[in-house]
Amino acid sequence: MSNILYIVVPCYNEQEVLPETSKRLREKVQTLRQGGKIDADSRILFVNDGSKDATWEMVQKLHEENPVFSGVNLSRNRGHQNALLAGIAVASEHADMIVSMDADLQDDVDAMDRMIDAYETGNDIVYGVRSSRQKDTFFKRNTAQLFYRLLHFLGAEVVYNHADYRLLSRRAAKGLLSFEEVNLFLRGIVPMVGYKSTTVTYERGERFAGESKYPLGKMVAFALEGVTSLSVKPIRMITMGGLFVCLVSLGMLIKAFVDYANGNVEPGWTSVIISIWVLGGLQLFAIGIIGEYIGKTYMETKRRPRFLIESVLLDAVEQEDASGRE
């Protein structure tokens, strides 16, 4: 018997690209069905993350025209990672395997064939990994590489050049849902699930239409989220930095006594001011990093739901008032 596949696609203001995305994914599902790779109950699950355009109306129309299209409508915008998790939560109740991907068609849909092959050989997690970044701008390519190196340096386990294009088995999806943190960085959490995994490489294309949902500001915030969600090493670095400053200060104190004993005393207004500014800056920077962690702890202790589902379109059944808490 073939396995049931659910393709989870988070959507935020994707009305420009959705017609082409739905067409390509429908064709892919048809091809996989005809080849006996997936069950006839397989679905394409669009997750509307509080879009302000006609995205949800388009999903509803697609569902009415063809039951292969399903939809999850969140009560409000909760961000890409929460929307993705909401789709996985719904899909895990019906699917044997779940493929997550973005709506912009930059991920190669044909890579799903090799993902499914890898799943059938016993892998619970299959990561879609970019074969190169030649199509990226110089700035984006180098900042992305710097980001992955920084995460590895800080001790976080992430897959290099992997975003959110991946296949999860049902048990891997259930394992992922058992992680209860509110501050989500799925690229770092999925490897923590720990089941057997492998990678599939593919050539990432250009965005088909619409605008990127990750401008520079959001990319920086996303990177900060990843670093502070996966590692406490920055706090340890502050401790080491503080120790270093103390040692330097002790050395300067000894030097001052030696100079005084030798009668070599000069006015030091400039050095004093520079020291004040440097130490003040280091203190503010340290307080900012510590504050980031405290803020995350504060949000986690509130135990707020990561998402609330307003409605689900699955076959001809519409379900109301689903909660995002496991």
Side-chain angles (χ1 to χ4, degrees), residues 9 31 76 93 99 106 114 138 140 146 168 203 222 232 236 241 249 257 266 276:
V9 187
T31 301
R76 55 164 300 221
E93 299 299 322
V99 170
Q106 289 186 280
R114 287 176 286 136
F138 175 83
K140 186 172 183 180
L146 177 63
L168 299 173
E203 185 70 26
F222 188 61
V232 296
R236 293 173 183 165
S249 300
F257 278 118
E266 298 179 0
I276 291 173

Side-chain angles (χ1 to χ4, degrees), residues 20-64:
E20 183 66 20
T21 301
S22 60
K23 174 187 174 184
R24 293 193 195 181
L25 291 180
R26 184 185 68 246
E27 292 172 350
K28 171 53 61 177
V29 168
Q30 289 175 344
T31 301
L32 292 171
R33 282 176 174 174
Q34 292 168 0
K37 302 286 289 183
I38 61 175
D39 190 88
D41 288 332
S42 298
R43 295 287 182 269
I44 301 162
L45 184 66
F46 292 111
V47 183
N48 179 44
D49 184 25
S51 298
K52 295 180 175 62
D53 61 5
T55 295
W56 181 240
E57 289 74 14
M58 295 174 70
V59 172
Q60 290 177 308
K61 184 177 180 182
L62 287 168
H63 175 69
E64 292 171 358

